[in-house]
């Protein structure tokens, strides 16, 4: 069995196999979860650290540096008060999404997936509302769609609003509502799942503010059962 060699810049399998070379980039512990969080709307260091419970600050800093060096992540500095730094995926980073989708497809067969009854107990509303739409999204259905939707979940507790921006074939979730959202859906956890799964129209699962047609166009971008 081949052993991973150590180097000053990280660990490497030092093999010509393409799979091994990809693992040199993505195979370290936490790396794919950091990319998951960047895809699902977490862009600040502390938010990612909080999401990946058990990861040390030094490890997060190391992983972000390596991903930035590989052209997978971009670092943005904002001259605000106080100044802030945010991280986003490059197009190269977004192309990792099929790898995560393949892991999810395997997990649906062999690992218990997140279910509605798990939300609020095993997983937080924040995690479910950001991550489930992120990996249920069909980019090919959103090529010409530019829309913004806020979802308010009445039984979610203190953090109860999320906004989803769709543009350039990507879904960009973020915490909190947006006053300029094209549509706002006020619903509960069950209604959120029914909407994302395509089981009912937005106006059937709660209070919809805005165009039902826009809400339907957004809903059509997600997987249906």
């Amino acid at each position: 069995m081949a052993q991973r060699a150590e180097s000053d810049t990280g660990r490497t399998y030092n093999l010509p196999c393409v799979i091994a070379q990809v693992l040199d980039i993505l195979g370290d512990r936490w790396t794919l979860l950091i990319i998951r969080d960047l895809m699902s709307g977490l862009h600040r260091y502390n938010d990612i650290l909080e999401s990946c419970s058990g990861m040390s600050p030094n490890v997060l800093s190391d992983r972000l540096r390596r991903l930035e060096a590989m052209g997978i992540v971009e670092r943005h500095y904002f001259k605000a008060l106080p100044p802030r730094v945010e991280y986003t995926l490059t197009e190269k980073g977004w192309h990792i999404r099929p790898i995560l989708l393949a892991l999810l497809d395997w997990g649906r067969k062999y690992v218990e997936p997140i279910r509605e009854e798990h939300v609020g107990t095993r997983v937080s509303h924040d995690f479910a509302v950001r991550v489930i739409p992120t990996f249920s999204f069909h980019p090919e259905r959103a090529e010409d769609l530019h829309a913004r939707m806020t979802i308010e979940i009445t039984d979610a507790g203190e953090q109860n609003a999320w906004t989803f921006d769709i543009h350039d074939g990507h879904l960009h979730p973020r915490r909190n509502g947006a006053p300029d959202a094209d549509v706002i859906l006020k619903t509960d956890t069950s209604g959120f799942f029914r909407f994302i799964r395509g089981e009912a129209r937005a106006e059937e699962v709660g209070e919809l503010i805005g165009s039902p047609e826009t809400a339907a166009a957004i809903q059509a971008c997600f997987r249906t059962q």
Side-chain angles (χ1 to χ4, degrees):
M1 180 181 297
Q3 295 182 347
R4 299 183 88 176
E6 299 290 339
S7 73
D8 292 337
T9 58
R11 296 181 297 176
T12 174
Y13 288 104
N14 196 29
L15 294 172
C17 168
V18 172
I19 294 174
Q21 292 177 42
V22 171
L23 287 173
D24 284 343
I25 301 169
L26 302 178
D28 282 323
R29 190 182 185 200
W30 300 111
T31 295
L32 286 178
L33 296 185
I34 292 168
I35 293 170
R36 174 206 67 188
D37 283 343
L38 290 168
M39 285 185 183
S40 60
L42 299 185
H43 301 293
R44 298 189 182 186
Y45 179 94
N46 286 337
D47 291 337
I48 299 170
L49 188 64
E50 180 184 6
S51 175
C52 294
S53 177
M55 178 174 55
S56 73
N58 287 341
V59 169
L60 177 56
S61 296
D62 172 75
R63 300 298 186 267
L64 289 171
R65 279 195 300 268
R66 295 187 66 192
L67 290 170
E68 186 177 1
M70 294 301 302
I72 292 170
V73 166
E74 289 181 330
R75 184 178 184 269
H76 306 273
Y77 179 80
F78 297 90
K79 293 182 178 179
L81 289 176
R84 73 179 192 275
V85 173
E86 293 188 359
Y87 298 89
T88 60
L89 292 171
T90 64
E91 199 62 27
K92 181 179 179 179
W94 279 104
H95 277 93
I96 296 170
R97 188 171 183 269
I99 298 174
L100 298 181
L101 290 175
L103 289 172
L104 283 169
D105 286 341
W106 188 88
R108 290 187 183 102
K109 293 180 181 179
Y110 302 109
V111 180
E112 185 179 8
I114 296 173
R115 303 186 187 280
E116 181 180 332
E117 58 268 25
H118 298 155
V119 179
T121 54
R122 289 178 55 182
V123 300
S124 68
H125 276 86
D126 179 62
F127 182 89
V129 176
R130 286 186 299 99
V131 173
I132 290 174
T134 294
F135 295 104
S136 301
F137 184 72
H138 287 269
E140 70 278 6
R141 299 181 187 175
E143 290 180 354
D144 299 319
L145 181 61
H146 287 70
R148 174 174 292 170
M149 181 177 198
T150 288
I151 295 182
E152 299 178 7
I153 299 184
T154 56
D155 57 346
E158 185 175 347
Q159 171 62 57
N160 61 5
W162 295 263
T163 296
F164 301 91
D165 284 303
I166 299 174
H167 57 81
D168 302 320
H170 293 308
L171 176 72
H172 302 274
R174 55 188 169 94
R175 293 167 173 165
N176 301 317
D180 59 345
D182 299 304
V183 289
I184 299 173
L185 174 60
K186 299 180 180 180
T187 185
D188 58 11
T189 302
S190 176
F192 162 75
F193 274 90
R194 292 176 66 205
F195 174 76
I196 289 297
R197 291 170 178 158
E199 297 171 350
R201 297 190 300 271
E203 60 269 31
E204 295 174 333
V205 302
E207 178 187 356
L208 178 66
I209 301 171
S211 164
E213 291 77 17
T214 300
I218 293 169
Q219 184 183 42
C221 295
F222 297 97
R223 295 179 187 268
T224 56
Q225 292 185 339

